[in-house]
Each structure stands twice: as C-alpha cells, then as structure tokens.
C-alpha cells in the first residue's frame, strides 16, 4: 500500500466525505459560509467510523438531490443509511416530533449523530447570534436530556 492510499477500514469514510463534498458543492448557509463546513464539523465529532460517516452525510438527503439509493450504490453501508433516514427531517413533520422519533428509534448511530449535530448547531448559533435557531436546538437537546441520552 502506498502512503496516500486509503486503508480499507477508512474507505467508507473517504466515500462519505466525497459524497458530502460533491453534494453540498456550491451551497451556502445563512451566514454566507460553505454548507459543507457544518457536516465536516459534525463528522469530525464522531467517535467511531460510522459516526464520522453519518456526520458527513447527515444533511445530504435532506438538502441535496442525492438519494439514499445513490448512497447505497456508492458503497455506504445499510446501517449508516438507516441512521440517515432517521436523521432526515421531512418538512411536514414538526421539528420536535422529528427529534422525538430519533430518540424513540433507539438507533444509537442516529442518536449520537443528532447529538453532535445539535452541539455544533448550538455552538455556531450562539456565536453568530441566531437566537431563534439556538432556541430550536436547545429545545431539541432538552428532549435528549429528558430521555437520559445527553
């Protein structure tokens, strides 16, 4: 193996990073920063390879044209895609109901990724003065606390 070749154990991380980078290319968040910075931060908060992958990919299906089937076709394992399905918020479901669904699922990968997502959203929301988003994410984090998960 050459120095710059990915190790087999990290190939899913590489695939996840590639998919997220391509999918979010040209997208900007409300503060004018590239959208990809948020999934990168959430992924890097992961404690396991699966959490890293789910963090990188957590907004892809919700915010881009890439589908779950596309991810599977690109080699993302089924357990990660199942977590991503739970993490994808349908706009016709109230936000706190969506959060409660993640909690009720008992899916440890989805729960860990959502906690990382909330942590990063709260940090950047406070830093940028986005009080409405801080309140939304604080309420979500409180649901995890009530469930004994945070």
């Amino acid at each position: 193996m050459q120095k710059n070749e990915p190790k087999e154990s990290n190939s899913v991380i590489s695939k996840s990073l590639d998919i997220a980078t391509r999918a979010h290319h040209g997208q900007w968040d409300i503060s004018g920063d590239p959208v990809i910075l948020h999934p990168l931060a959430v992924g890097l908060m992961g404690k396991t390879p699966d959490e890293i992958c789910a963090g990188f990919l957590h907004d892809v299906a919700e915010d881009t044209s890439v589908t779950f089937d596309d991810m599977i076709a690109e080699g993302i394992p089924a357990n990660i895609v199942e977590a991503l399905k739970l993490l994808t918020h349908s706009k016709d479901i109230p936000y706190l109901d969506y959060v409660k669904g993640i909690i009720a699922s008992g899916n440890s990968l989805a729960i860990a990724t959502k906690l990382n997502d909330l942590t990063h959203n709260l940090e950047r929301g406070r830093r940028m003065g986005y009080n409405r988003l801080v309140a939304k994410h604080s309420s979500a984090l409180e649901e995890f606390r009530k469930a004994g998960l945070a």
Side-chain angles (χ1 to χ4, degrees):
M1 180 181 324
Q2 293 181 9
K3 183 177 180 180
N4 291 329
E5 281 185 44
K7 294 179 183 176
E8 186 60 32
S9 64
N10 290 332
S11 66
V12 177
I13 292 175
S14 296
K15 288 175 189 177
S16 298
L17 178 60
D18 183 57
I19 292 166
T21 302
R22 284 186 283 121
H24 292 298
H25 179 77
Q27 292 181 335
W28 309 97
D29 68 17
I30 60 174
S31 61
D33 293 325
V35 163
I36 191 61
L37 295 178
H38 171 64
L40 291 176
V42 174
L44 292 173
M45 294 168 77
K47 293 177 179 64
T48 68
D50 285 356
E51 287 179 19
I52 293 167
C53 293
F56 288 163
L57 296 169
H58 80 278
D59 282 337
V60 168
E62 185 175 322
D63 296 337
T64 78
S65 62
V66 177
T67 66
F68 298 119
D69 287 339
D70 295 334
M71 290 184 231
I72 290 170
E74 290 204 44
I76 303 303
N79 69 306
I80 295 173
V81 173
E82 288 307 310
L84 295 173
K85 288 178 181 178
L86 291 166
L87 293 165
T88 300
H89 179 213
S90 172
K91 302 301 182 211
D92 58 331
I93 297 173
Y95 185 72
L96 285 181
D97 290 344
Y98 148 76
V99 169
K100 290 174 185 176
I102 294 169
I103 294 166
S105 76
N107 184 305
S108 60
L109 179 55
I111 290 167
T113 304
K114 189 61 185 176
L115 285 169
N116 290 341
D117 178 41
L118 289 170
T119 298
H120 186 252
N121 279 331
L122 281 166
E123 183 278 325
R124 70 183 181 153
R126 287 180 181 125
R127 181 172 30 88
M128 302 299 285
Y130 298 134
N131 297 330
R132 184 184 61 78
L133 292 174
V134 169
K136 172 185 166 181
H137 295 123
S138 294
S139 295
L141 190 56
E142 183 58 28
E143 292 299 324
F144 282 92
R145 284 192 186 110
K146 287 192 290 192
L149 297 169

PDB file of all heavy atoms in Angstrom, residues 35-47:
ATOM      1  N   VAL A  35     -21.789  25.443   3.043  1.00  0.00           N
ATOM      2  CA  VAL A  35     -22.579  24.490   3.819  1.00  0.00           C
ATOM      3  C   VAL A  35     -21.732  23.319   4.308  1.00  0.00           C
ATOM      4  O   VAL A  35     -21.928  22.816   5.418  1.00  0.00           O
ATOM      5  CB  VAL A  35     -23.786  23.991   2.986  1.00  0.00           C
ATOM      6  CG1 VAL A  35     -24.389  22.720   3.566  1.00  0.00           C
ATOM      7  CG2 VAL A  35     -24.846  25.079   2.892  1.00  0.00           C
ATOM      8  N   ILE A  36     -20.784  22.877   3.503  1.00  0.00           N
ATOM      9  CA  ILE A  36     -20.003  21.682   3.834  1.00  0.00           C
ATOM     10  C   ILE A  36     -19.279  21.804   5.173  1.00  0.00           C
ATOM     11  O   ILE A  36     -18.972  20.784   5.812  1.00  0.00           O
ATOM     12  CB  ILE A  36     -19.007  21.337   2.699  1.00  0.00           C
ATOM     13  CG1 ILE A  36     -18.384  19.940   2.897  1.00  0.00           C
ATOM     14  CG2 ILE A  36     -17.931  22.393   2.582  1.00  0.00           C
ATOM     15  CD1 ILE A  36     -19.365  18.801   2.898  1.00  0.00           C
ATOM     16  N   LEU A  37     -19.033  23.013   5.650  1.00  0.00           N
ATOM     17  CA  LEU A  37     -18.332  23.170   6.923  1.00  0.00           C
ATOM     18  C   LEU A  37     -19.101  22.527   8.079  1.00  0.00           C
ATOM     19  O   LEU A  37     -18.497  21.955   8.987  1.00  0.00           O
ATOM     20  CB  LEU A  37     -18.064  24.650   7.208  1.00  0.00           C
ATOM     21  CG  LEU A  37     -17.115  25.346   6.236  1.00  0.00           C
ATOM     22  CD1 LEU A  37     -16.978  26.821   6.611  1.00  0.00           C
ATOM     23  CD2 LEU A  37     -15.764  24.660   6.197  1.00  0.00           C
ATOM     24  N   HIS A  38     -20.425  22.611   8.051  1.00  0.00           N
ATOM     25  CA  HIS A  38     -21.222  22.016   9.128  1.00  0.00           C
ATOM     26  C   HIS A  38     -21.139  20.486   9.104  1.00  0.00           C
ATOM     27  O   HIS A  38     -20.801  19.888  10.138  1.00  0.00           O
ATOM     28  CB  HIS A  38     -22.667  22.512   9.066  1.00  0.00           C
ATOM     29  CG  HIS A  38     -23.583  21.792   9.998  1.00  0.00           C
ATOM     30  ND1 HIS A  38     -23.445  21.840  11.371  1.00  0.00           N
ATOM     31  CD2 HIS A  38     -24.631  20.970   9.749  1.00  0.00           C
ATOM     32  CE1 HIS A  38     -24.378  21.089  11.921  1.00  0.00           C
ATOM     33  NE2 HIS A  38     -25.106  20.547  10.963  1.00  0.00           N
ATOM     34  N   PRO A  39     -21.420  19.802   7.987  1.00  0.00           N
ATOM     35  CA  PRO A  39     -21.283  18.345   8.001  1.00  0.00           C
ATOM     36  C   PRO A  39     -19.860  17.878   8.326  1.00  0.00           C
ATOM     37  O   PRO A  39     -19.687  16.838   8.988  1.00  0.00           O
ATOM     38  CB  PRO A  39     -21.685  17.914   6.589  1.00  0.00           C
ATOM     39  CG  PRO A  39     -22.475  19.042   6.040  1.00  0.00           C
ATOM     40  CD  PRO A  39     -21.988  20.279   6.730  1.00  0.00           C
ATOM     41  N   LEU A  40     -18.865  18.632   7.893  1.00  0.00           N
ATOM     42  CA  LEU A  40     -17.491  18.267   8.255  1.00  0.00           C
ATOM     43  C   LEU A  40     -17.296  18.332   9.764  1.00  0.00           C
ATOM     44  O   LEU A  40     -16.706  17.423  10.366  1.00  0.00           O
ATOM     45  CB  LEU A  40     -16.485  19.173   7.553  1.00  0.00           C
ATOM     46  CG  LEU A  40     -16.360  19.020   6.043  1.00  0.00           C
ATOM     47  CD1 LEU A  40     -15.389  20.047   5.481  1.00  0.00           C
ATOM     48  CD2 LEU A  40     -15.949  17.608   5.667  1.00  0.00           C
ATOM     49  N   ALA A  41     -17.782  19.396  10.381  1.00  0.00           N
ATOM     50  CA  ALA A  41     -17.647  19.539  11.832  1.00  0.00           C
ATOM     51  C   ALA A  41     -18.383  18.416  12.562  1.00  0.00           C
ATOM     52  O   ALA A  41     -17.848  17.821  13.503  1.00  0.00           O
ATOM     53  CB  ALA A  41     -18.168  20.902  12.277  1.00  0.00           C
ATOM     54  N   VAL A  42     -19.601  18.114  12.128  1.00  0.00           N
ATOM     55  CA  VAL A  42     -20.381  17.056  12.775  1.00  0.00           C
ATOM     56  C   VAL A  42     -19.690  15.708  12.590  1.00  0.00           C
ATOM     57  O   VAL A  42     -19.590  14.917  13.536  1.00  0.00           O
ATOM     58  CB  VAL A  42     -21.828  17.036  12.237  1.00  0.00           C
ATOM     59  CG1 VAL A  42     -22.603  15.847  12.788  1.00  0.00           C
ATOM     60  CG2 VAL A  42     -22.542  18.344  12.577  1.00  0.00           C
ATOM     61  N   GLY A  43     -19.182  15.445  11.403  1.00  0.00           N
ATOM     62  CA  GLY A  43     -18.474  14.193  11.170  1.00  0.00           C
ATOM     63  C   GLY A  43     -17.234  14.060  12.032  1.00  0.00           C
ATOM     64  O   GLY A  43     -16.979  13.003  12.614  1.00  0.00           O
ATOM     65  N   LEU A  44     -16.486  15.128  12.157  1.00  0.00           N
ATOM     66  CA  LEU A  44     -15.256  15.080  12.938  1.00  0.00           C
ATOM     67  C   LEU A  44     -15.520  14.948  14.435  1.00  0.00           C
ATOM     68  O   LEU A  44     -14.622  14.590  15.195  1.00  0.00           O
ATOM     69  CB  LEU A  44     -14.389  16.302  12.640  1.00  0.00           C
ATOM     70  CG  LEU A  44     -13.810  16.312  11.224  1.00  0.00           C
ATOM     71  CD1 LEU A  44     -13.104  17.637  10.945  1.00  0.00           C
ATOM     72  CD2 LEU A  44     -12.878  15.132  10.998  1.00  0.00           C
ATOM     73  N   MET A  45     -16.746  15.192  14.862  1.00  0.00           N
ATOM     74  CA  MET A  45     -17.130  14.979  16.252  1.00  0.00           C
ATOM     75  C   MET A  45     -17.418  13.501  16.536  1.00  0.00           C
ATOM     76  O   MET A  45     -17.521  13.099  17.692  1.00  0.00           O
ATOM     77  CB  MET A  45     -18.369  15.822  16.596  1.00  0.00           C
ATOM     78  CG  MET A  45     -18.104  17.319  16.568  1.00  0.00           C
ATOM     79  SD  MET A  45     -19.632  18.276  16.641  1.00  0.00           S
ATOM     80  CE  MET A  45     -20.033  18.125  18.366  1.00  0.00           C
ATOM     81  N   GLY A  46     -17.561  12.705  15.478  1.00  0.00           N
ATOM     82  CA  GLY A  46     -17.875  11.292  15.645  1.00  0.00           C
ATOM     83  C   GLY A  46     -16.783  10.543  16.387  1.00  0.00           C
ATOM     84  O   GLY A  46     -15.599  10.823  16.225  1.00  0.00           O
ATOM     85  N   LYS A  47     -17.205   9.568  17.182  1.00  0.00           N
ATOM     86  CA  LYS A  47     -16.268   8.770  17.973  1.00  0.00           C
ATOM     87  C   LYS A  47     -15.943   7.429  17.315  1.00  0.00           C
ATOM     88  O   LYS A  47     -15.040   6.735  17.760  1.00  0.00           O
ATOM     89  CB  LYS A  47     -16.841   8.551  19.365  1.00  0.00           C
ATOM     90  CG  LYS A  47     -16.941   9.834  20.176  1.00  0.00           C
ATOM     91  CD  LYS A  47     -17.593   9.583  21.526  1.00  0.00           C
ATOM     92  CE  LYS A  47     -17.684  10.826  22.365  1.00  0.00           C
ATOM     93  NZ  LYS A  47     -18.515  11.867  21.814  1.00  0.00           N
TER      94      LYS A  47
END
